Amino acid sequence: RRSKRALTDAIDRALIDLLAIYRDVLMVQVGGDGELINTDLSDLVHQIAHDSTPHQTLARVDHIETARKRLVANGNPLLVLEDMAISLRPQA
C-alpha cells in the first residue's frame, strides 16, 4: 500500500511540474509579462508555444488535470499516463 502511494505521489509531483511548463507556454502564447517559472526550459517553452495555439495548450492542461484526478481515484498509473501522453502529442 505504501509503495503504491509513493508511486502515485511521485507521478503527481511530475504532473505538477508538467503543468508548470504548460503555464509558461500559455503565458508566452498570450504575451503575458510575468517571468517564466521554468527558466532552464525557456527554449522548450518557446518552441512549444510557437508550435501550438493557446486553445491546444489549455486542452493539454485539462488532460494533465484529468490524469491527476484519475490517479487519485485509483486509476492504473500506466494507463492514465499513456492516455495523457497521447493527448499531449503535437497536433497538425
Side-chain angles (χ1 to χ4, degrees):
R1 214 177 206 187
R2 287 184 195 162
S3 65
K4 182 173 179 162
R5 175 62 190 250
L7 175 64
T8 302
D9 288 349
I11 293 170
D12 190 54
R13 284 190 300 276
L15 294 178
I16 290 170
D17 290 343
L18 191 56
L19 283 170
I21 293 170
Y22 279 105
R23 174 255 182 215
D24 286 348
V25 169
L26 188 60
M27 191 179 70
V28 169
Q29 288 173 327
V30 299
D33 58 357
E35 293 184 30
L36 296 181
I37 292 173
N38 299 286
T39 55
D40 57 325
L41 299 174
S42 178
D43 291 340
L44 174 65
V45 166
H46 283 87
Q47 183 64 44
I48 294 170
H50 179 267
D51 292 343
S52 62
T53 66
H55 178 74
Q56 290 170 322
T57 301
L58 288 173
R60 290 174 176 150
V61 166
D62 186 50
H63 287 294
I64 296 166
E65 287 291 347
T66 299
R68 291 185 70 214
K69 290 175 187 171
R70 288 178 177 166
L71 283 173
V72 169
N74 218 13
N76 181 309
L78 182 60
L79 295 177
V80 168
L81 291 176
E82 183 178 355
D83 180 58
M84 183 200 68
I86 290 169
S87 71
L88 297 181
R89 64 190 163 92
Q91 301 162 356

Coordinates of all heavy atoms in Angstrom, one line a residue:
R1 N 0.8 -1.2 0.0 CA 0.0 0.0 0.0 C 0.9 1.3 0.0 O 0.6 2.2 -0.7 CB -0.9 0.0 1.3 CG -2.2 0.6 1.1 CD -3.0 0.4 2.4 NE -4.3 0.4 2.1 CZ -5.3 0.4 3.0 NH1 -4.9 0.4 4.3 NH2 -6.5 0.4 2.7
R2 N 1.9 1.2 0.8 CA 2.8 2.4 0.9 C 3.6 2.6 -0.4 O 3.8 3.8 -0.8 CB 3.8 2.2 2.0 CG 3.2 2.4 3.4 CD 4.3 2.3 4.4 NE 3.6 2.1 5.7 CZ 4.3 1.7 6.8 NH1 5.5 1.3 6.7 NH2 3.6 1.5 7.9
S3 N 4.0 1.5 -1.0 CA 4.7 1.7 -2.3 C 3.8 2.2 -3.4 O 4.3 3.0 -4.2 CB 5.4 0.4 -2.7 OG 4.4 -0.6 -3.0
K4 N 2.6 1.8 -3.4 CA 1.6 2.4 -4.4 C 1.4 3.8 -4.1 O 1.4 4.6 -5.1 CB 0.3 1.6 -4.4 CG -0.6 2.1 -5.4 CD -1.9 1.3 -5.6 CE -2.7 2.0 -6.6 NZ -3.7 1.3 -7.2
R5 N 1.3 4.2 -2.9 CA 1.1 5.6 -2.5 C 2.3 6.4 -2.9 O 2.2 7.6 -3.4 CB 0.8 5.8 -1.0 CG 0.7 7.2 -0.5 CD -0.5 7.9 -1.2 NE -0.5 9.3 -0.9 CZ -1.4 9.9 -0.2 NH1 -2.4 9.2 0.4 NH2 -1.3 11.2 0.0
A6 N 3.5 5.9 -2.7 CA 4.7 6.6 -3.0 C 4.8 6.8 -4.5 O 5.2 7.9 -5.0 CB 5.9 5.8 -2.5
L7 N 4.4 5.8 -5.3 CA 4.4 5.9 -6.7 C 3.5 6.9 -7.2 O 3.8 7.8 -8.0 CB 4.1 4.5 -7.4 CG 4.0 4.5 -8.9 CD1 5.3 4.9 -9.6 CD2 3.4 3.2 -9.4
T8 N 2.2 6.9 -6.7 CA 1.2 7.9 -7.1 C 1.7 9.3 -6.7 O 1.5 10.2 -7.5 CB -0.1 7.5 -6.4 OG1 -0.5 6.2 -6.7 CG2 -1.2 8.5 -6.8
D9 N 2.3 9.5 -5.6 CA 2.7 10.8 -5.2 C 3.9 11.3 -6.1 O 3.9 12.5 -6.4 CB 3.2 10.8 -3.7 CG 2.1 10.7 -2.7 OD1 0.9 10.8 -3.1 OD2 2.4 10.4 -1.5
A10 N 4.8 10.4 -6.5 CA 5.9 10.8 -7.4 C 5.3 11.2 -8.7 O 5.8 12.2 -9.3 CB 6.9 9.7 -7.5
I11 N 4.4 10.4 -9.2 CA 3.7 10.8 -10.5 C 3.0 12.1 -10.4 O 3.1 12.9 -11.3 CB 2.8 9.6 -11.0 CG1 3.6 8.4 -11.3 CG2 2.0 10.1 -12.2 CD1 2.7 7.1 -11.6
D12 N 2.3 12.3 -9.3 CA 1.6 13.6 -9.2 C 2.5 14.8 -9.2 O 2.3 15.8 -9.8 CB 0.7 13.5 -7.9 CG -0.2 14.7 -7.8 OD1 -1.0 14.9 -8.8 OD2 -0.2 15.4 -6.8
R13 N 3.7 14.6 -8.5 CA 4.7 15.7 -8.5 C 5.2 16.0 -9.9 O 5.3 17.1 -10.3 CB 5.8 15.4 -7.5 CG 5.5 15.6 -6.1 CD 6.7 15.5 -5.2 NE 7.4 14.2 -5.3 CZ 7.1 13.1 -4.6 NH1 6.0 13.1 -3.8 NH2 7.8 12.0 -4.7
A14 N 5.4 14.9 -10.6 CA 5.8 15.1 -12.0 C 4.8 15.8 -12.9 O 5.1 16.7 -13.7 CB 6.2 13.8 -12.6
L15 N 3.5 15.5 -12.6 CA 2.4 16.1 -13.4 C 2.3 17.6 -13.0 O 2.0 18.4 -13.9 CB 1.1 15.4 -13.2 CG 1.1 13.9 -13.7 CD1 -0.3 13.3 -13.4 CD2 1.3 13.9 -15.2
I16 N 2.5 17.9 -11.8 CA 2.5 19.3 -11.3 C 3.7 20.1 -12.0 O 3.5 21.2 -12.5 CB 2.6 19.4 -9.8 CG1 1.3 18.9 -9.2 CG2 2.9 20.9 -9.4 CD1 1.3 18.8 -7.7
D17 N 4.8 19.5 -12.2 CA 5.9 20.1 -12.9 C 5.6 20.3 -14.3 O 5.9 21.3 -14.9 CB 7.2 19.2 -12.8 CG 7.8 19.2 -11.4 OD1 7.5 20.1 -10.6 OD2 8.6 18.3 -11.1
L18 N 4.9 19.3 -14.9 CA 4.4 19.4 -16.3 C 3.4 20.6 -16.5 O 3.5 21.3 -17.5 CB 3.9 18.1 -16.8 CG 3.6 17.9 -18.3 CD1 4.8 18.2 -19.1 CD2 3.0 16.5 -18.5
L19 N 2.5 20.7 -15.5 CA 1.6 21.8 -15.5 C 2.3 23.2 -15.5 O 1.9 24.1 -16.2 CB 0.6 21.7 -14.4 CG -0.5 20.7 -14.5 CD1 -1.2 20.5 -13.2 CD2 -1.5 21.0 -15.6
A20 N 3.4 23.2 -14.7 CA 4.1 24.5 -14.7 C 4.7 24.8 -16.0 O 4.8 26.0 -16.4 CB 5.2 24.4 -13.6
I21 N 5.2 23.8 -16.8 CA 5.7 24.1 -18.1 C 4.6 24.6 -19.0 O 4.8 25.6 -19.7 CB 6.4 22.8 -18.7 CG1 7.6 22.4 -17.9 CG2 6.7 23.0 -20.2 CD1 8.1 21.1 -18.2
Y22 N 3.5 24.0 -19.0 CA 2.4 24.5 -19.8 C 1.8 25.8 -19.4 O 1.3 26.6 -20.2 CB 1.3 23.4 -20.0 CG 1.7 22.4 -21.0 CD1 2.1 21.1 -20.6 CD2 1.7 22.7 -22.3 CE1 2.5 20.2 -21.5 CE2 2.1 21.7 -23.3 CZ 2.5 20.5 -22.9 OH 2.9 19.6 -23.8
R23 N 2.0 26.2 -18.1 CA 1.6 27.5 -17.7 C 2.6 28.5 -18.3 O 2.1 29.6 -18.8 CB 1.8 27.6 -16.1 CG 1.6 29.0 -15.5 CD 2.9 29.5 -15.2 NE 2.8 30.8 -14.5 CZ 3.7 31.8 -14.7 NH1 4.8 31.6 -15.5 NH2 3.6 32.9 -14.1
D24 N 3.9 28.2 -18.4 CA 4.8 29.1 -19.1 C 4.5 29.2 -20.6 O 4.6 30.3 -21.1 CB 6.2 28.6 -18.9 CG 6.8 28.8 -17.5 OD1 6.2 29.6 -16.7 OD2 7.8 28.2 -17.1
V25 N 4.2 28.1 -21.2 CA 3.8 28.1 -22.6 C 2.6 29.0 -22.9 O 2.7 29.8 -23.8 CB 3.5 26.6 -23.1 CG1 2.9 26.7 -24.5 CG2 4.7 25.8 -23.1
L26 N 1.6 28.9 -22.1 CA 0.4 29.7 -22.2 C 0.8 31.2 -22.0 O 0.3 32.1 -22.8 CB -0.7 29.3 -21.3 CG -2.0 29.9 -21.5 CD1 -2.6 29.6 -22.9 CD2 -3.0 29.4 -20.5
M27 N 1.6 31.5 -21.1 CA 2.0 32.9 -20.8 C 2.7 33.4 -22.0 O 2.5 34.6 -22.4 CB 2.9 33.0 -19.6 CG 3.1 34.4 -19.1 SD 4.0 34.5 -17.6 CE 5.6 34.1 -18.2
V28 N 3.6 32.7 -22.6 CA 4.3 33.1 -23.8 C 3.3 33.3 -25.0 O 3.4 34.3 -25.7 CB 5.4 32.1 -24.2 CG1 6.0 32.4 -25.6 CG2 6.5 32.1 -23.2
Q29 N 2.4 32.4 -25.1 CA 1.4 32.5 -26.2 C 0.5 33.7 -26.1 O 0.2 34.3 -27.1 CB 0.6 31.2 -26.3 CG 1.3 30.0 -26.7 CD 0.5 28.7 -26.6 OE1 -0.3 28.6 -25.7 NE2 0.8 27.8 -27.6
V30 N 0.1 34.1 -24.9 CA -0.8 35.2 -24.8 C 0.0 36.5 -24.5 O -0.6 37.6 -24.4 CB -1.9 35.0 -23.7 CG1 -2.7 33.8 -24.1 CG2 -1.2 34.9 -22.3
G31 N 1.3 36.5 -24.5 CA 2.1 37.7 -24.3 C 2.1 38.2 -22.9 O 2.2 39.4 -22.7
G32 N 2.0 37.3 -21.9 CA 2.0 37.7 -20.5 C 3.3 38.4 -20.2 O 4.4 38.1 -20.8
D33 N 3.3 39.2 -19.2 CA 4.5 39.9 -18.8 C 5.2 39.4 -17.5 O 6.1 39.9 -17.0 CB 4.2 41.4 -18.6 CG 3.2 41.7 -17.6 OD1 2.6 40.7 -17.0 OD2 2.9 42.9 -17.3
G34 N 4.7 38.2 -17.1 CA 5.3 37.6 -15.9 C 6.6 36.8 -16.3 O 6.9 36.6 -17.5
E35 N 7.3 36.4 -15.3 CA 8.5 35.7 -15.5 C 8.2 34.2 -15.7 O 7.3 33.7 -15.1 CB 9.5 35.9 -14.4 CG 10.1 37.3 -14.3 CD 11.1 37.4 -13.2 OE1 11.8 36.4 -12.9 OE2 11.2 38.5 -12.6
L36 N 9.0 33.5 -16.4 CA 8.9 32.0 -16.6 C 9.2 31.4 -15.3 O 10.2 31.7 -14.6 CB 9.7 31.5 -17.7 CG 9.5 32.0 -19.1 CD1 10.4 31.3 -20.1 CD2 8.0 31.7 -19.5
I37 N 8.5 30.3 -14.9 CA 8.8 29.5 -13.8 C 10.0 28.6 -14.1 O 10.9 28.4 -13.3 CB 7.6 28.6 -13.4 CG1 6.4 29.5 -12.9 CG2 7.9 27.6 -12.3 CD1 5.1 28.8 -12.6
N38 N 10.0 28.1 -15.3 CA 11.0 27.1 -15.8 C 12.0 27.8 -16.7 O 12.1 27.6 -17.8 CB 10.3 26.0 -16.5 CG 9.4 25.2 -15.6 OD1 9.8 24.5 -14.8 ND2 8.1 25.5 -15.8
T39 N 12.8 28.7 -16.1 CA 13.8 29.5 -16.9 C 14.8 28.6 -17.6 O 15.2 28.9 -18.6 CB 14.5 30.5 -16.0 OG1 15.1 29.8 -14.9 CG2 13.5 31.6 -15.5
D40 N 15.1 27.4 -16.9 CA 16.0 26.5 -17.5 C 15.4 25.8 -18.8 O 16.2 25.2 -19.6 CB 16.5 25.5 -16.5 CG 15.3 24.7 -15.9 OD1 14.2 25.3 -15.7 OD2 15.5 23.5 -15.6
L41 N 14.1 25.8 -18.9 CA 13.5 25.2 -20.1 C 12.9 26.2 -21.1 O 12.0 25.9 -21.8 CB 12.4 24.3 -19.6 CG 12.8 23.1 -18.7 CD1 11.5 22.4 -18.2 CD2 13.7 22.2 -19.4
S42 N 13.5 27.4 -21.0 CA 13.0 28.5 -21.9 C 12.9 28.2 -23.3 O 11.9 28.5 -24.0 CB 13.8 29.8 -21.7 OG 13.4 30.8 -22.4
D43 N 13.9 27.5 -23.9 CA 13.9 27.2 -25.3 C 12.8 26.2 -25.6 O 12.1 26.4 -26.6 CB 15.2 26.5 -25.7 CG 16.4 27.5 -25.7 OD1 16.1 28.7 -25.7 OD2 17.6 27.0 -25.6
L44 N 12.6 25.2 -24.8 CA 11.5 24.3 -24.9 C 10.1 25.0 -24.8 O 9.2 24.7 -25.7 CB 11.6 23.1 -23.9 CG 10.4 22.1 -23.9 CD1 10.4 21.4 -25.2 CD2 10.5 21.2 -22.7
V45 N 10.0 25.8 -23.9 CA 8.7 26.5 -23.7 C 8.4 27.4 -24.9 O 7.3 27.3 -25.4 CB 8.8 27.4 -22.4 CG1 7.6 28.4 -22.4 CG2 8.8 26.6 -21.1
H46 N 9.4 28.1 -25.4 CA 9.1 28.9 -26.6 C 8.8 28.1 -27.8 O 8.0 28.5 -28.7 CB 10.3 29.9 -26.8 CG 10.3 31.0 -25.9 ND1 10.8 31.0 -24.6 CD2 9.7 32.3 -26.0 CE1 10.7 32.2 -24.0 NE2 10.0 33.0 -24.9
Q47 N 9.5 26.9 -27.9 CA 9.2 26.1 -29.1 C 7.8 25.5 -29.1 O 7.1 25.5 -30.1 CB 10.2 24.9 -29.1 CG 10.1 24.0 -30.3 CD 10.4 24.7 -31.6 OE1 11.3 25.5 -31.7 NE2 9.6 24.5 -32.6
I48 N 7.4 25.0 -27.9 CA 6.0 24.5 -27.8 C 5.0 25.7 -28.0 O 4.0 25.5 -28.7 CB 5.8 23.9 -26.4 CG1 6.6 22.7 -26.2 CG2 4.3 23.5 -26.2 CD1 6.7 22.1 -24.8
A49 N 5.3 26.8 -27.5 CA 4.4 28.0 -27.7 C 4.3 28.3 -29.2 O 3.2 28.7 -29.6 CB 4.9 29.2 -26.9
H50 N 5.4 28.2 -29.9 CA 5.4 28.6 -31.3 C 4.6 27.5 -32.1 O 4.0 27.8 -33.1 CB 6.8 28.7 -31.8 CG 6.9 29.0 -33.2 ND1 7.1 28.0 -34.2 CD2 6.9 30.2 -33.9 CE1 7.1 28.6 -35.4 NE2 7.0 29.9 -35.3
D51 N 4.7 26.3 -31.7 CA 4.2 25.1 -32.5 C 2.7 24.8 -32.1 O 2.2 23.9 -32.7 CB 5.0 23.9 -32.3 CG 6.4 24.0 -32.9 OD1 6.6 24.9 -33.7 OD2 7.3 23.2 -32.5
S52 N 2.1 25.6 -31.2 CA 0.7 25.3 -30.8 C 0.0 26.6 -30.6 O 0.5 27.6 -30.6 CB 0.7 24.4 -29.6 OG 1.3 25.0 -28.5
T53 N -1.3 26.4 -30.3 CA -2.2 27.6 -30.0 C -2.5 27.6 -28.5 O -2.4 26.5 -27.9 CB -3.5 27.5 -30.8 OG1 -4.2 26.3 -30.4 CG2 -3.2 27.3 -32.3
P54 N -3.0 28.7 -28.0 CA -3.5 28.7 -26.6 C -4.6 27.7 -26.4 O -4.6 27.1 -25.3 CB -3.9 30.2 -26.4 CG -3.2 31.0 -27.4 CD -3.0 30.1 -28.6
H55 N -5.4 27.5 -27.3 CA -6.5 26.6 -27.2 C -6.0 25.2 -27.0 O -6.4 24.4 -26.1 CB -7.5 26.6 -28.4 CG -8.6 25.6 -28.3 ND1 -9.6 25.8 -27.5 CD2 -8.7 24.4 -29.0 CE1 -10.4 24.7 -27.7 NE2 -9.9 23.9 -28.5
Q56 N -5.0 24.8 -27.8 CA -4.3 23.5 -27.6 C -3.6 23.4 -26.3 O -3.7 22.3 -25.6 CB -3.3 23.2 -28.8 CG -4.0 23.0 -30.1 CD -2.9 23.0 -31.2 OE1 -2.0 23.8 -31.2 NE2 -3.2 22.2 -32.2
T57 N -3.0 24.4 -25.8 CA -2.3 24.4 -24.5 C -3.3 24.2 -23.4 O -3.1 23.4 -22.5 CB -1.5 25.7 -24.3 OG1 -0.6 25.8 -25.4 CG2 -0.8 25.7 -23.0
L58 N -4.4 24.9 -23.5 CA -5.5 24.7 -22.4 C -6.0 23.3 -22.4 O -6.3 22.7 -21.4 CB -6.6 25.8 -22.6 CG -6.2 27.2 -22.2 CD1 -7.3 28.1 -22.6 CD2 -5.9 27.3 -20.8
A59 N -6.2 22.7 -23.6 CA -6.7 21.4 -23.7 C -5.6 20.4 -23.1 O -6.0 19.5 -22.4 CB -6.9 21.0 -25.2
R60 N -4.4 20.7 -23.3 CA -3.3 19.8 -22.7 C -3.3 20.0 -21.2 O -3.2 19.0 -20.5 CB -2.0 20.2 -23.3 CG -1.8 19.8 -24.7 CD -0.5 20.2 -25.3 NE -0.4 19.7 -26.7 CZ 0.2 20.3 -27.7 NH1 0.8 21.5 -27.5 NH2 0.2 19.8 -28.9
V61 N -3.5 21.2 -20.7 CA -3.6 21.4 -19.2 C -4.8 20.6 -18.7 O -4.6 19.9 -17.6 CB -3.7 22.9 -18.9 CG1 -4.1 23.1 -17.5 CG2 -2.4 23.6 -19.2
D62 N -5.9 20.6 -19.4 CA -7.0 19.9 -19.0 C -6.8 18.4 -18.9 O -7.2 17.7 -18.0 CB -8.2 20.2 -19.9 CG -9.5 19.5 -19.4 OD1 -9.8 19.7 -18.2 OD2 -10.2 18.9 -20.2
H63 N -6.0 17.8 -19.9 CA -5.7 16.4 -19.9 C -4.8 16.0 -18.8 O -4.9 15.0 -18.2 CB -5.0 16.0 -21.2 CG -6.0 16.0 -22.4 ND1 -7.0 15.1 -22.5 CD2 -6.0 16.8 -23.5 CE1 -7.6 15.3 -23.7 NE2 -7.1 16.3 -24.3
I64 N -3.9 16.9 -18.4 CA -3.0 16.7 -17.3 C -3.8 16.7 -16.0 O -3.6 15.8 -15.1 CB -1.8 17.7 -17.2 CG1 -1.0 17.6 -18.5 CG2 -1.0 17.5 -16.0 CD1 0.0 18.7 -18.7
E65 N -4.7 17.6 -15.8 CA -5.5 17.7 -14.6 C -6.4 16.4 -14.5 O -6.6 15.9 -13.5 CB -6.4 18.9 -14.6 CG -5.6 20.2 -14.3 CD -5.1 20.3 -12.9 OE1 -5.5 19.5 -12.0 OE2 -4.3 21.1 -12.6
T66 N -6.9 16.0 -15.7 CA -7.7 14.8 -15.7 C -6.9 13.6 -15.2 O -7.4 12.7 -14.5 CB -8.3 14.5 -17.1 OG1 -9.2 15.6 -17.4 CG2 -9.1 13.2 -17.2
A67 N -5.7 13.5 -15.7 CA -4.8 12.4 -15.3 C -4.5 12.4 -13.8 O -4.6 11.4 -13.1 CB -3.4 12.5 -16.1
R68 N -4.3 13.6 -13.2 CA -4.2 13.7 -11.8 C -5.4 13.2 -11.1 O -5.3 12.5 -10.1 CB -3.9 15.2 -11.4 CG -2.5 15.6 -11.9 CD -2.2 17.0 -11.4 NE -2.0 17.0 -9.9 CZ -2.3 17.9 -9.1 NH1 -2.9 19.0 -9.5 NH2 -2.1 17.8 -7.8
K69 N -6.6 13.6 -11.5 CA -7.8 13.1 -10.9 C -8.0 11.6 -11.0 O -8.4 11.0 -10.0 CB -9.0 13.8 -11.5 CG -9.1 15.3 -11.2 CD -10.2 15.9 -11.9 CE -10.2 17.4 -11.7 NZ -11.1 18.2 -12.6
R70 N -7.6 11.1 -12.1 CA -7.7 9.6 -12.3 C -6.8 8.9 -11.4 O -7.1 7.8 -10.9 CB -7.5 9.2 -13.7 CG -8.6 9.6 -14.7 CD -8.3 9.3 -16.1 NE -9.5 9.6 -16.9 CZ -9.4 9.7 -18.2 NH1 -8.3 9.4 -18.9 NH2 -10.5 10.0 -18.9
L71 N -5.6 9.4 -11.2 CA -4.6 8.8 -10.2 C -5.2 8.8 -8.8 O -5.1 7.8 -8.1 CB -3.3 9.5 -10.3 CG -2.4 9.2 -11.5 CD1 -1.2 10.1 -11.5 CD2 -2.0 7.7 -11.5
V72 N -5.7 9.9 -8.4 CA -6.3 10.0 -7.1 C -7.5 9.0 -6.9 O -7.7 8.4 -5.8 CB -6.8 11.4 -6.8 CG1 -7.6 11.5 -5.5 CG2 -5.6 12.4 -6.7
A73 N -8.2 8.8 -8.0 CA -9.4 7.9 -8.0 C -8.9 6.4 -8.2 O -9.7 5.6 -8.5 CB -10.4 8.3 -9.1
N74 N -7.6 6.2 -8.0 CA -7.1 4.8 -8.0 C -7.0 4.2 -9.4 O -7.1 3.0 -9.6 CB -7.9 3.9 -7.1 CG -7.0 2.9 -6.4 OD1 -5.8 3.1 -6.4 ND2 -7.6 1.9 -5.8
G75 N -6.8 5.1 -10.4 CA -6.6 4.6 -11.8 C -5.3 3.9 -11.9 O -4.3 4.2 -11.2
N76 N -5.2 3.0 -12.9 CA -4.0 2.3 -13.2 C -3.0 3.4 -13.7 O -3.2 4.0 -14.8 CB -4.2 1.3 -14.3 CG -3.0 0.5 -14.6 OD1 -1.9 1.1 -14.9 ND2 -3.1 -0.8 -14.6
P77 N -1.8 3.6 -13.0 CA -0.9 4.6 -13.4 C -0.4 4.5 -14.8 O -0.3 5.5 -15.5 CB 0.2 4.5 -12.4 CG -0.4 3.8 -11.2 CD -1.4 2.9 -11.8
L78 N -0.1 3.3 -15.3 CA 0.4 3.2 -16.6 C -0.6 3.6 -17.7 O -0.3 4.3 -18.6 CB 0.8 1.7 -16.9 CG 1.4 1.4 -18.3 CD1 2.7 2.2 -18.5 CD2 1.7 -0.1 -18.4
L79 N -1.9 3.2 -17.5 CA -2.9 3.5 -18.4 C -3.2 5.0 -18.4 O -3.5 5.7 -19.4 CB -4.2 2.7 -18.1 CG -4.1 1.2 -18.4 CD1 -5.4 0.5 -18.0 CD2 -3.7 0.9 -19.8
V80 N -3.2 5.6 -17.2 CA -3.5 7.0 -17.0 C -2.4 7.8 -17.7 O -2.7 8.8 -18.5 CB -3.6 7.4 -15.5 CG1 -3.6 8.9 -15.3 CG2 -4.8 6.8 -14.9
L81 N -1.2 7.5 -17.5 CA -0.1 8.2 -18.2 C 0.0 8.0 -19.7 O 0.3 9.0 -20.4 CB 1.3 7.8 -17.5 CG 1.4 8.3 -16.1 CD1 2.8 7.8 -15.5 CD2 1.4 9.8 -16.0
E82 N -0.4 6.8 -20.1 CA -0.4 6.6 -21.5 C -1.5 7.4 -22.2 O -1.2 8.1 -23.3 CB -0.6 5.1 -21.8 CG -0.6 4.7 -23.3 CD -0.8 3.3 -23.5 OE1 -0.9 2.5 -22.6 OE2 -0.9 2.9 -24.7
D83 N -2.6 7.5 -21.6 CA -3.7 8.3 -22.2 C -3.3 9.8 -22.2 O -3.5 10.4 -23.2 CB -5.0 8.1 -21.4 CG -6.1 8.9 -21.9 OD1 -6.5 8.7 -23.1 OD2 -6.7 9.7 -21.1
M84 N -2.7 10.2 -21.2 CA -2.3 11.6 -21.1 C -1.2 11.9 -22.1 O -1.3 12.9 -22.8 CB -1.8 12.0 -19.7 CG -1.4 13.4 -19.6 SD -0.3 13.7 -18.2 CE 1.2 12.9 -18.8
A85 N -0.3 11.0 -22.3 CA 0.8 11.2 -23.2 C 0.3 11.3 -24.6 O 0.8 12.2 -25.4 CB 1.9 10.1 -23.1
I86 N -0.6 10.5 -25.0 CA -1.2 10.6 -26.3 C -1.9 11.9 -26.5 O -1.8 12.5 -27.6 CB -2.2 9.4 -26.5 CG1 -1.4 8.1 -26.6 CG2 -3.0 9.6 -27.8 CD1 -2.3 6.9 -26.6
S87 N -2.5 12.5 -25.5 CA -3.2 13.7 -25.7 C -2.3 14.9 -25.8 O -2.6 16.0 -26.2 CB -4.2 13.9 -24.5 OG -3.5 14.2 -23.3
L88 N -1.0 14.8 -25.3 CA -0.1 15.8 -25.3 C 0.8 15.9 -26.6 O 1.5 16.9 -26.8 CB 0.9 15.7 -24.1 CG 0.3 15.8 -22.8 CD1 1.4 15.7 -21.7 CD2 -0.5 17.1 -22.6
R89 N 0.7 14.9 -27.4 CA 1.5 14.9 -28.6 C 1.1 16.1 -29.6 O 0.0 16.6 -29.5 CB 1.4 13.6 -29.4 CG 0.0 13.3 -29.9 CD 0.0 11.8 -30.4 NE -1.4 11.4 -30.5 CZ -2.1 11.6 -31.6 NH1 -1.6 12.0 -32.7 NH2 -3.4 11.2 -31.6
P90 N 2.1 16.5 -30.4 CA 1.8 17.6 -31.3 C 0.6 17.3 -32.2 O 0.5 16.2 -32.7 CB 3.1 17.8 -32.1 CG 4.1 17.2 -31.2 CD 3.4 16.1 -30.4
Q91 N -0.1 18.3 -32.5 CA -1.3 18.2 -33.4 C -1.1 18.9 -34.7 O -0.5 20.0 -34.6 CB -2.6 18.6 -32.6 CG -2.8 17.9 -31.4 CD -3.7 18.6 -30.4 OE1 -4.2 19.7 -30.7 NE2 -4.1 18.0 -29.3
A92 N -1.6 18.4 -35.7 CA -1.5 19.0 -37.0 C -2.4 20.2 -37.2 O -3.3 20.4 -36.6 CB -1.7 18.0 -38.1

